[in-house]
PDB file of all heavy atoms in Angstrom:
ATOM      1  N   LEU A 717     -10.169 -35.185   4.745  1.00  0.00           N
ATOM      2  CA  LEU A 717      -8.858 -34.889   4.160  1.00  0.00           C
ATOM      3  C   LEU A 717      -8.409 -33.478   4.497  1.00  0.00           C
ATOM      4  O   LEU A 717      -7.245 -33.221   4.799  1.00  0.00           O
ATOM      5  CB  LEU A 717      -8.923 -35.055   2.633  1.00  0.00           C
ATOM      6  CG  LEU A 717      -8.678 -36.440   2.049  1.00  0.00           C
ATOM      7  CD1 LEU A 717      -9.012 -36.446   0.558  1.00  0.00           C
ATOM      8  CD2 LEU A 717      -7.230 -36.861   2.261  1.00  0.00           C
ATOM      9  N   PHE A 776     -14.680 -18.879  -9.870  1.00  0.00           N
ATOM     10  CA  PHE A 776     -15.536 -19.992 -10.288  1.00  0.00           C
ATOM     11  C   PHE A 776     -15.263 -20.297 -11.755  1.00  0.00           C
ATOM     12  O   PHE A 776     -14.730 -19.480 -12.507  1.00  0.00           O
ATOM     13  CB  PHE A 776     -17.014 -19.664 -10.064  1.00  0.00           C
ATOM     14  CG  PHE A 776     -17.555 -18.602 -10.999  1.00  0.00           C
ATOM     15  CD1 PHE A 776     -18.190 -18.956 -12.190  1.00  0.00           C
ATOM     16  CD2 PHE A 776     -17.425 -17.257 -10.689  1.00  0.00           C
ATOM     17  CE1 PHE A 776     -18.683 -17.985 -13.047  1.00  0.00           C
ATOM     18  CE2 PHE A 776     -17.904 -16.278 -11.540  1.00  0.00           C
ATOM     19  CZ  PHE A 776     -18.541 -16.639 -12.729  1.00  0.00           C
ATOM     20  N   PRO A 817      11.052   0.626  14.499  1.00  0.00           N
ATOM     21  CA  PRO A 817      11.133   2.020  14.092  1.00  0.00           C
ATOM     22  C   PRO A 817      10.205   2.380  12.942  1.00  0.00           C
ATOM     23  O   PRO A 817      10.095   3.529  12.571  1.00  0.00           O
ATOM     24  CB  PRO A 817      12.594   2.164  13.654  1.00  0.00           C
ATOM     25  CG  PRO A 817      12.964   0.798  13.164  1.00  0.00           C
ATOM     26  CD  PRO A 817      12.183  -0.175  14.010  1.00  0.00           C
ATOM     27  N   HIS A 862      15.859  -2.596   5.630  1.00  0.00           N
ATOM     28  CA  HIS A 862      17.047  -2.672   6.499  1.00  0.00           C
ATOM     29  C   HIS A 862      16.764  -3.523   7.733  1.00  0.00           C
ATOM     30  O   HIS A 862      17.569  -4.368   8.123  1.00  0.00           O
ATOM     31  CB  HIS A 862      17.466  -1.264   6.911  1.00  0.00           C
ATOM     32  CG  HIS A 862      18.486  -1.224   8.007  1.00  0.00           C
ATOM     33  ND1 HIS A 862      19.801  -1.565   7.816  1.00  0.00           N
ATOM     34  CD2 HIS A 862      18.369  -0.905   9.333  1.00  0.00           C
ATOM     35  CE1 HIS A 862      20.463  -1.450   8.953  1.00  0.00           C
ATOM     36  NE2 HIS A 862      19.609  -1.050   9.887  1.00  0.00           N
ATOM     37  N   PHE A1029      -5.882  12.384  -3.194  1.00  0.00           N
ATOM     38  CA  PHE A1029      -4.658  12.540  -2.404  1.00  0.00           C
ATOM     39  C   PHE A1029      -3.393  12.689  -3.267  1.00  0.00           C
ATOM     40  O   PHE A1029      -2.549  11.783  -3.324  1.00  0.00           O
ATOM     41  CB  PHE A1029      -4.472  11.357  -1.447  1.00  0.00           C
ATOM     42  CG  PHE A1029      -5.497  11.314  -0.361  1.00  0.00           C
ATOM     43  CD1 PHE A1029      -6.603  10.488  -0.474  1.00  0.00           C
ATOM     44  CD2 PHE A1029      -5.368  12.121   0.749  1.00  0.00           C
ATOM     45  CE1 PHE A1029      -7.569  10.467   0.517  1.00  0.00           C
ATOM     46  CE2 PHE A1029      -6.331  12.098   1.753  1.00  0.00           C
ATOM     47  CZ  PHE A1029      -7.436  11.265   1.632  1.00  0.00           C
ATOM     48  N   ILE A1061     -11.089  18.872   0.657  1.00  0.00           N
ATOM     49  CA  ILE A1061     -11.668  17.527   0.571  1.00  0.00           C
ATOM     50  C   ILE A1061     -13.146  17.629   0.230  1.00  0.00           C
ATOM     51  O   ILE A1061     -13.652  16.941  -0.657  1.00  0.00           O
ATOM     52  CB  ILE A1061     -11.496  16.756   1.898  1.00  0.00           C
ATOM     53  CG1 ILE A1061     -10.031  16.747   2.345  1.00  0.00           C
ATOM     54  CG2 ILE A1061     -12.038  15.344   1.770  1.00  0.00           C
ATOM     55  CD1 ILE A1061      -9.117  15.976   1.455  1.00  0.00           C
ATOM     56  N   ILE A1084     -23.722  26.744   2.506  1.00  0.00           N
ATOM     57  CA  ILE A1084     -24.631  27.018   3.625  1.00  0.00           C
ATOM     58  C   ILE A1084     -23.978  26.637   4.950  1.00  0.00           C
ATOM     59  O   ILE A1084     -24.023  27.392   5.922  1.00  0.00           O
ATOM     60  CB  ILE A1084     -25.960  26.259   3.418  1.00  0.00           C
ATOM     61  CG1 ILE A1084     -26.731  26.889   2.256  1.00  0.00           C
ATOM     62  CG2 ILE A1084     -26.805  26.280   4.689  1.00  0.00           C
ATOM     63  CD1 ILE A1084     -27.942  26.086   1.806  1.00  0.00           C
ATOM     64  N   GLU A1106     -34.310  34.266   5.356  1.00  0.00           N
ATOM     65  CA  GLU A1106     -34.166  33.269   6.415  1.00  0.00           C
ATOM     66  C   GLU A1106     -35.090  32.074   6.156  1.00  0.00           C
ATOM     67  O   GLU A1106     -34.742  30.931   6.457  1.00  0.00           O
ATOM     68  CB  GLU A1106     -34.489  33.910   7.771  1.00  0.00           C
ATOM     69  CG  GLU A1106     -34.164  33.002   8.952  1.00  0.00           C
ATOM     70  CD  GLU A1106     -34.388  33.699  10.273  1.00  0.00           C
ATOM     71  OE1 GLU A1106     -34.620  34.935  10.280  1.00  0.00           O
ATOM     72  OE2 GLU A1106     -34.341  33.004  11.307  1.00  0.00           O
TER      73      GLU A1106
END
Side-chain angles (χ1 to χ4, degrees):
L717 273 171
F776 70 94
H862 168 73
F1029 292 98
I1061 307 293
I1084 290 170
E1106 189 175 350

